[in-house]
Amino acid sequence: MSAARALLFQPQKAELLDATLRDGSYAVDFQLAENFVIELLGRLNETPIGKVEVGHGLGFEAERSGFKACNIDLKHWCRIAQSELTATSWGMFAQPEFSRLSTLAELCDQGMSFVRIGMEPERVPDHLDYIERATAICGPRKPPSATFSATR
């Protein structure tokens, strides 16, 4: 790119999200050693990472669709995250097929400050209501809190 070429947008401050626990839970069949979780979250809290994603690899309430439940239940995830992530925001992954908005509200009431919603791009129109409602549920608690991730 030529130095003379104008930027199409002005870059914003970068925001880092760590998904080590959520994404890494696949490797251990969603069964995480609690001591490892506590230590990792404590260490992440000391970094410039602004958001940490915790919970079941497929999203909260994945067991409602027949997937193996995480050995750490949602209330315990909230307690651990609240305790260890004192300088860092934490949230969870959600899928509209099984992650209920009522549960999302409960999680946000427990200190969760963002939700990352995932689905295939062609399914977004079918789930706009869910996305809008999730944003409203998390929105009033802290500044922009719902992010969207289209995956293939």
Side-chain angles (χ1 to χ4, degrees):
M1 176 159 100
S2 165
R5 189 175 194 168
L7 292 175
L8 297 175
F9 65 93
Q10 291 298 317
Q12 300 296 313
K13 177 183 163 192
E15 187 171 18
L16 300 175
L17 179 140
D18 183 280
T20 301
L21 286 171
R22 188 216 45 91
D23 198 36
S25 73
Y26 287 100
V28 292
D29 202 21
F30 315 115
Q31 309 303 296
L32 295 156
E34 188 174 330
N35 289 340
F36 171 76
V37 169
I38 290 168
E39 181 163 342
L40 180 59
L41 291 180
R43 289 176 182 245
L44 288 170
N45 193 59
E46 298 169 355
T47 71
I49 293 169
K51 293 183 177 187
V52 175
E53 200 170 70
V54 299
H56 197 289
L58 292 166
F60 69 86
E61 297 187 310
E63 63 278 3
R64 293 184 69 234
S65 282
F67 296 102
K68 185 172 186 172
C70 184
N71 63 308
I72 301 173
D73 68 32
L74 290 176
K75 288 183 182 184
H76 199 49
W77 271 118
C78 293
R79 285 191 297 271
I80 294 170
Q82 280 290 94
S83 173
E84 297 301 321
L85 296 173
T86 57
T88 303
S89 297
W90 61 276
M92 293 186 183
F93 186 66
Q95 291 194 50
E97 291 79 17
F98 52 75
S99 299
R100 294 176 290 196
L101 292 169
S102 60
T103 303
L104 175 61
E106 293 171 15
L107 292 168
C108 290
D109 287 342
Q110 296 300 310
M112 188 170 101
S113 63
F114 72 91
V115 61
R116 190 167 65 88
I117 303 167
M119 70 193 72
E120 296 79 11
E122 64 273 6
R123 300 189 65 218
V124 170
D126 297 334
H127 295 290
L128 285 176
D129 182 61
Y130 182 94
I131 295 166
E132 290 171 359
R133 291 174 62 201
T135 301
I137 288 168
C138 287
R141 289 163 179 83
K142 294 191 179 172
S145 53
T147 59
F148 174 74
S149 173
T151 57
R152 280 229 175 255

